[in-house]
Amino acid sequence: MKANQNKHLIPPKGLRSVLYYKYNSLNSRIWLFLVIFLLKAVFSPFLEAQVTDSTILAQVSDSIVKDSVVIDSLALIQKPDTLKYRISPDSLDAPVFFDARDSIEYDLQNKKIYLYGAAKVKYTTISLEAGYIVLDWEKNILTADYVLDSLDKPIEKPKFADGSQEFTANKLRYNFKTKKGQIIDARTFENNLYVLSEKAKFFAQDSTHARDYVFSQNAIFTTCDAEHPHYGIKSKKQKVVPNKLIVVGPSNLEIMDVPTPLFLPFGFFPIFEKRHAGLIFPQDFENSPVFGFGLRNVGYYFPLGPNYDLKLTGDLYMKGSWGVQAAMRYKKRYKYTGEFTISMSTLKTEVKGELTPQISRPKKIIWRHAQDNQAHPYNSFSASVNIESNKFERTTLNRADNVLKNSYESRVTFRRKFPSSPFSMTASLGHSQIIQTGAVVLNLPTLDIRMRQIYPFKRKQALGKERWYEKFSLTYSAQTKNTIRTSDSTLFDKSTWRDLNLGAKHNLGTSASYRILKYFNFSPTINYQELWYLKGDDYRFNDELIIEPDTLFNSDGSVSDIRQDTVAFGSVDTIPFSGFKAIRTFNMGASLNTKVFGTIRFRKGFLRGIRHTISPSIGFNFTPDYTKSPFNYYQKIQTDTRQAPDEYALQYRYANGIYGRPPVHGKQMAINYSLGHLFEAKYFARKDSTVKRTRLFDNINMGGSYNFAADSMRWSKVSISGGSKLFRKMTTFRMSATFDPYALSKEGKPIDQFYWNTNRKLLRFVRMNMSFSTSFSVQQIADALTGKKEDKSNKKSKNKSPQKERLVDWFSGFRISHNLTYEFLKEDDKVKGKIRTNSINTRGRIPLTRNWKLNVGNIGYDFTRKRMTYPDFGFSRDLHCWNMGVNWQPQRGTYSFFLKVTSQPLDFLKLPYNRNQFDAQRVAF
């Protein structure tokens, strides 16, 4: 085959050899020997320039290796001393490896090598793959082109790689010596950016170029991976510095080959592989009637070493509102990982009828920290902080998850285990916040020291039977806490931190457990608690009447009379005092319990057995009267001049204490009783012919007490509670009821007279609550209807029809929850029921088509209030490299529309349009 033969011509696939010639009759081995002899004779004058220093190596295909003599060129190169020739200065500095699927042709006259079909060439860090390659070893030039298939479509396009540079092109030309190249219709990928150019030149790193460079003409760069991009930024001239940046001249954005009005005189687009400081382009903009035109999330990024980085962003509006946010991330392998974010905003809104705008300054702090399990064997540190003021998320965000959130909690914890010791220590900072009321409780700090259960009387080397006193165990815990109670609006004020409430608590307990009469467990317990406070309150009754004038009006609005009205018959004055005070409480008791089992079996039918487990327990408990001497933790105080002494109220002297208060119901010498019931059943499953077990009721408890120390009404109220899981555990049922053995007076107060004596009934109904909480997905409903168990491996059923499978997959991300609560009260000798809660909520994502999705953040209905519960839903459309969507919250009147690029670094190309909460309030007003 001649050198000027058509380069798109593919030789017959049957002719595969290292040296391809047209021969049909002579033995291949004879021809191979002659060719080797001729090559040696022809190339002998050139060996001093080529053979000894990185000659061209031909990789022999498998068909020749098995049936031919192979030239060991590599062996010749590895032993240059065997060929004593002078090395030419024009020779290459490394060997060139090449291979081809179909054939390899040598043109000795023009000093070229032709590679056909899946051709490959490798030289140092350079690799090239194409359907057709020409290697000119005299000029050190490599040319690559594609080939055509049977349908005249281009295949096996050239793929070039040199270090960090990678190209796909229709035609390529490269010089080994100068490391320069030219490509036609090039396509390269640089850090999530595709660069397509009609013609490009590239320069590899060498003595004259410190870096790799690519100069392109009529180029477009985009994040779209389609063969013909759907969008891109097009310019006539571009310069690409791999792993650094792209510099473009005058350019504009094109969408579907249609130029847009977005024009750039020049541009710099970083494409660093590693983290690098730089500007953060605004991710969003809006034109709000309240705030004016604004840019959101514009800022700067700072990499702070290998383990930390910082992102500073801000929101700027033309009418004076602004917001800033600092977000720092950190991570150290095998040590810890976390992030810290602080945000604050100043929002100015106009109020009708007022000259000065209304200003609100919401703030938010988020901190997440997690320690690796391998960091330390005894110490651990974790943090989960979420604090906000002035309803930050409800004010600045409209998603249902943010608006419907009722509370926030935070906790920063350090734990220390002391080796070879029963003690451990926990130091923590805590926070709880109720969004609706704005109440905030801070625990700064809390220190816990705990001792695990020990047996102080147990022998180290026990010989013989365990003695009775060895079963006594001892537990101890100590805690000190500093509490601040404030509101979210004053959380960051200096005055908040002055109202500190400090306290400490010690708990000491001992217990034991003995087996009596084989079936009974006897457990005695003694518990002691001591509280420490540094301040308290005394109370004094002020018998001064509080009188205020009361104005009476006529029907026409004129004043009829002014009278003096007594609004309070005295008051209670609080007198604070300071000083150390210990509040000591203790109790002791014992309990006796056992279990009784009852079983009924059936040999045939669906139901095969029922088992009833009864857990009776009886105990004794003693608690002293803390309202009397020597304790005197309560003060008996008059609150009204019309009260009798026996109607005086008890006021706790440490009402602001952080650990609650001692019992106020007097001395307790009570016998406690309880009775637990557990119902289980066995049934025959026809599907797999096995007997299975299930719980009918998880637990039903009934309990009460009898106090010997009480002067009247010694029997306590009887409480009954229970629950169960229904409908494959999709529904949780809970029930609680209260009954009283004593009757009521005409005023509706309990009296020391049994209900049996007045109504011939053992117990008087007081109240009962029943709740049903249901949560399920569409997949769970489908499994329940088909009798299939929940498939945790996510494998599709072979028996499921394609129609059902598509329907279930359609709703796979959709979830429905329902809450129903009944309350029954006795009024006017009649039991009346009332629905306290009855609401249904749905959320999830439904793929309407392959590209259209319905996003339901929340859609619910409250049947008691007869209104929807903050509907939040939207539609989104996948446009391959773009994403379009609309979200709507009709209850607030807010909405948003967006059309944006999905991938970085061009995700700043976004067309947003929205109306925030303040704009919606202005329209409604």
Side-chain angles (χ1 to χ4, degrees), residues 58-73:
Q59 294 183 349
V60 184
S61 61
D62 294 339
S63 61
I64 300 301
V65 171
K66 296 178 180 179
D67 194 37
S68 303
V69 178
V70 181
I71 305 174
D72 192 0
S73 303

Side-chain angles (χ1 to χ4, degrees), residues 148-186:
L148 301 175
D149 61 5
S150 58
L151 300 177
D152 290 337
K153 293 184 178 181
I155 58 174
E156 299 183 12
K157 292 185 178 182
K159 296 180 181 180
F160 177 85
D162 183 7
S164 61
Q165 295 189 39
E166 293 185 1
F167 303 100
T168 300
N170 288 339
K171 186 174 182 180
L172 183 143
R173 181 182 176 90
Y174 182 75
N175 192 307
F176 290 103
K177 298 294 291 183
T178 62
K179 294 186 178 182
K180 298 179 181 179
Q182 185 177 14
I183 46 181
I184 304 299
D185 295 332

Side-chain angles (χ1 to χ4, degrees), residues 113-362:
I113 300 176
Y114 299 89
L115 309 177
Y116 295 91
K120 299 178 182 179
V121 175
K122 182 172 178 57
Y123 168 70
T124 62
T125 61
I126 299 171
S127 64
L128 176 65
E129 298 179 6
Y132 171 76
I133 296 177
V134 178
L135 177 62
D136 190 335
W137 71 74
E138 181 179 21
K139 297 181 181 179
N140 298 320
I141 293 177
L142 191 66
T143 305
D145 209 335
Y146 62 85
V147 295
L148 301 175
D149 61 5
S150 58
L151 300 177
D152 290 337
K153 293 184 178 181
I155 58 174
E156 299 183 12
K157 292 185 178 182
K159 296 180 181 180
F160 177 85
D162 183 7
S164 61
Q165 295 189 39
E166 293 185 1
F167 303 100
T168 300
N170 288 339
K171 186 174 182 180
L172 183 143
R173 181 182 176 90
Y174 182 75
N175 192 307
F176 290 103
K177 298 294 291 183
T178 62
K179 294 186 178 182
K180 298 179 181 179
Q182 185 177 14
I183 46 181
I184 304 299
D185 295 332
R187 183 185 183 93
T188 183
F189 184 74
E190 293 285 347
N191 291 21
N192 210 36
L193 271 179
Y194 293 91
V195 182
L196 291 80
S197 59
E198 293 182 2
K199 188 176 182 181
K201 294 181 179 180
F202 60 92
F203 302 86
Q205 181 179 356
D206 57 11
S207 59
T208 58
H209 298 90
R211 298 184 61 92
D212 297 341
Y213 295 96
V214 180
F215 295 92
S216 304
Q217 180 179 353
N218 293 330
I220 184 172
F221 67 94
T222 177
T223 59
C224 181
D225 59 355
E227 185 71 20
H228 188 78
H230 299 131
Y231 85 100
I233 298 179
K234 190 172 184 180
S235 60
K236 290 187 176 181
K237 295 182 179 180
Q238 286 185 348
K239 178 181 179 181
V240 179
V241 183
N243 300 325
K244 189 174 182 181
L245 80 160
I246 299 177
V247 183
V248 300
S251 57
N252 75 305
L253 175 66
E254 287 189 357
I255 301 178
M256 303 302 291
D257 295 330
V258 178
T260 65
L262 182 59
F263 176 82
L264 298 175
F266 60 91
F268 299 88
F269 299 89
I271 52 174
F272 299 103
E273 283 188 350
K274 299 181 179 180
R275 298 179 304 157
H276 197 279
L279 178 69
I280 299 176
F281 201 82
Q283 297 295 309
D284 199 357
F285 66 89
E286 62 178 318
N287 189 11
S288 169
V290 175
F291 301 138
F293 181 81
L295 297 176
R296 303 185 63 181
N297 297 323
V298 58
Y300 206 83
Y301 174 78
F302 303 89
L304 306 176
N307 301 321
Y308 302 86
D309 65 358
L310 175 65
K311 183 171 67 173
L312 297 178
T313 57
D315 305 333
L316 302 174
Y317 294 92
M318 297 298 292
K319 292 186 178 181
S321 298
W322 56 272
V324 293
Q325 176 176 288
M328 185 178 71
R329 298 180 302 174
Y330 53 91
K331 182 177 183 179
K332 193 170 184 179
R333 184 176 296 180
Y334 307 125
K335 292 294 184 180
Y336 50 78
T337 180
E339 59 179 340
F340 180 83
T341 304
I342 181 171
S343 307
M344 58 182 67
S345 300
T346 297
L347 306 177
K348 296 182 178 181
T349 57
E350 298 178 356
V351 181
K352 187 175 182 180
E354 297 184 7
L355 298 178
T356 58
Q358 182 178 353
I359 300 177
S360 62
R361 293 183 173 87

